Amino acid sequence: MSGLNDPAFFDRYAHEYDERDAYEPTQAVDFLAGLIPADGRALELAIGTGRVALPLAARGIALEGIDGSPAMVEQLRAKPGGSEIPVTIGDMADVAVDGPFQMSYLVFNTLFNLPSQARQVDCFRNVAKVLAPGGLFVI
């Protein structure tokens, strides 16, 4: 069986991800929305099915995402507003997007999808490259 760092792991259960992890991330969304300036841009690492990104976008926050699983992004795209969010398919540690962003975030236990401390450090270093001066990286 592949590990959490393998996109195929998430591809296998993308169709049921929202039901398996069925809870509303209201507190996380409220917290993140309070950190981003009204005219700011946010970047979600491991955007997945959009359970955090979609409510933030509904509040008028401009955001983009990165995810390694095309099947998870398909689930995002099937939801109202999901096709409006730009998403890069790739490894979240590589952060292959253009900034600047006022905030990048990585929610819940997703940091541990990166299998080693070295990849976690890569992620931190690469997020720093796309943050605006004074930008936030929220984990």
Side-chain angles (χ1 to χ4, degrees):
M1 181 168 157
S2 62
L4 293 175
N5 61 314
D6 181 354
F9 177 85
F10 292 97
D11 286 345
R12 278 195 281 287
Y13 77 100
H15 67 282
E16 61 183 281
Y17 182 81
D18 288 335
E19 289 77 31
R20 289 178 66 155
D21 294 319
Y23 64 92
E24 292 296 319
T26 306
Q27 291 178 327
V29 171
D30 289 344
F31 177 75
L32 293 168
L35 295 175
I36 185 101
D39 61 345
R41 287 175 66 211
L43 173 65
E44 181 172 350
L45 304 179
I47 194 169
T49 64
R51 64 182 172 169
V52 175
L54 288 169
L56 285 173
R59 293 182 183 200
I61 295 171
L63 60 100
E64 294 182 30
I66 297 175
D67 204 278
S69 169
M72 293 288 275
V73 176
E74 259 183 57
Q75 296 299 311
L76 164 68
R77 296 280 181 245
K79 295 177 182 177
S83 63
E84 307 301 316
I85 298 173
V87 178
T88 298
I89 302 295
D91 188 324
M92 69 180 173
D94 295 330
V95 191
V97 297
D98 294 323
F101 296 94
Q102 284 66 39
M103 178 176 67
S104 182
Y105 62 94
L106 184 59
V107 295
F108 309 115
N109 62 353
T110 308
L111 178 64
F112 299 108
N113 291 358
L114 297 171
S116 69
Q117 182 179 15
R119 286 307 281 160
Q120 292 171 1
V121 169
D122 288 342
C123 181
F124 282 49
R125 184 176 296 117
N126 290 323
V127 165
K129 292 177 184 176
V130 298
L131 285 177
L136 303 172
F137 184 23
V138 180
I139 300 173

